[in-house]
Amino acid sequence: MRRGTFRDETVNYAAVGATQAPDLMQYPPERSIPAEESWRIGSGAERFATASDALLSWTTHKASGLTLSDVRPASEPSYLGVSFDEEGNPVRPSKTEPEQRFDADGTPYVSAGTTVHVRGRVGGQRADAELRVIFVIEEPRRVGFALGTMDDSVVSGEESFMLEWLQNDEVWFTVRAFDAPESVLYKVLPVLTRRRRKELFSGYLRAISPLFATPTA
């Protein structure tokens, strides 16, 4: 069992990077409700590249019904966030200064240390929060990142988004999260936390996978 307790002073929870722990579902951070889902979203290099761009350009979040604003890269270019090995242990980041990219509207792509305001409604309840990008992974067959809560959210915790292009050519999308209820309503009714997470997961999948979004006959 491993449970990281690294602290980024800008976030409001202690177990920074714990979405990368192999035993997250068995041993979540204290008071947190863990969740994990994986879906096959296609196959091949083109599918992986398209999905990766959608993920890192925030398209997956925006297309799921959330509104993003005030996307701000880290103030210091040298900020690299937290990196982890296959066992979920922290390692020294491999890059010294990541390249900043922008979409057609001038919105910065996901990068370690970026902060963003997210607004919307999930299951009839608000999903407003200020979030920080904890880490970013860009490898030939694996792309993803994690978001941690900073302020003004009904829950505190982290969620990670990972795309993998497997050796059998399949492309898989995995979302992992842990949520600790913060608002009085969510503390009294934990089922709301689970319902909120389930609907968020469904929204992300609909946004990134046309196979899921298109009804079958």
Side-chain angles (χ1 to χ4, degrees), residues 88-147:
N89 298 309
V91 297
R92 182 183 299 276
S94 59
K95 291 185 178 181
T96 57
E97 188 171 339
E99 177 186 357
Q100 183 64 65
R101 291 166 290 173
F102 301 85
D103 67 12
D105 296 327
T107 300
Y109 270 47
V110 172
S111 62
T114 293
T115 56
V116 57
H117 281 89
V118 175
R119 294 178 175 82
R121 299 191 71 80
V122 177
Q125 300 292 323
R126 71 180 180 90
D128 302 352
E130 184 175 8
L131 306 173
R132 185 179 181 92
V133 178
I134 302 302
F135 65 80
V136 180
I137 294 173
E138 290 189 72
E139 299 172 355
R141 287 181 173 266
R142 191 169 68 123
V143 168
F145 68 97
L147 287 171

Side-chain angles (χ1 to χ4, degrees), residues 71-97:
V71 181
R72 291 173 289 140
S75 57
E76 296 182 9
S78 61
Y79 180 89
L80 297 176
V82 183
S83 295
F84 299 87
D85 63 17
E86 294 180 355
E87 299 299 322
N89 298 309
V91 297
R92 182 183 299 276
S94 59
K95 291 185 178 181
T96 57
E97 188 171 339

Side-chain angles (χ1 to χ4, degrees), residues 38-43 168-173 205 209 211:
S38 293
W39 308 273
R40 179 182 179 274
I41 62 170
S43 60
N168 65 4
D169 213 33
E170 294 180 350
V171 178
W172 283 78
F173 179 46
L205 178 59
S209 176
L211 295 176

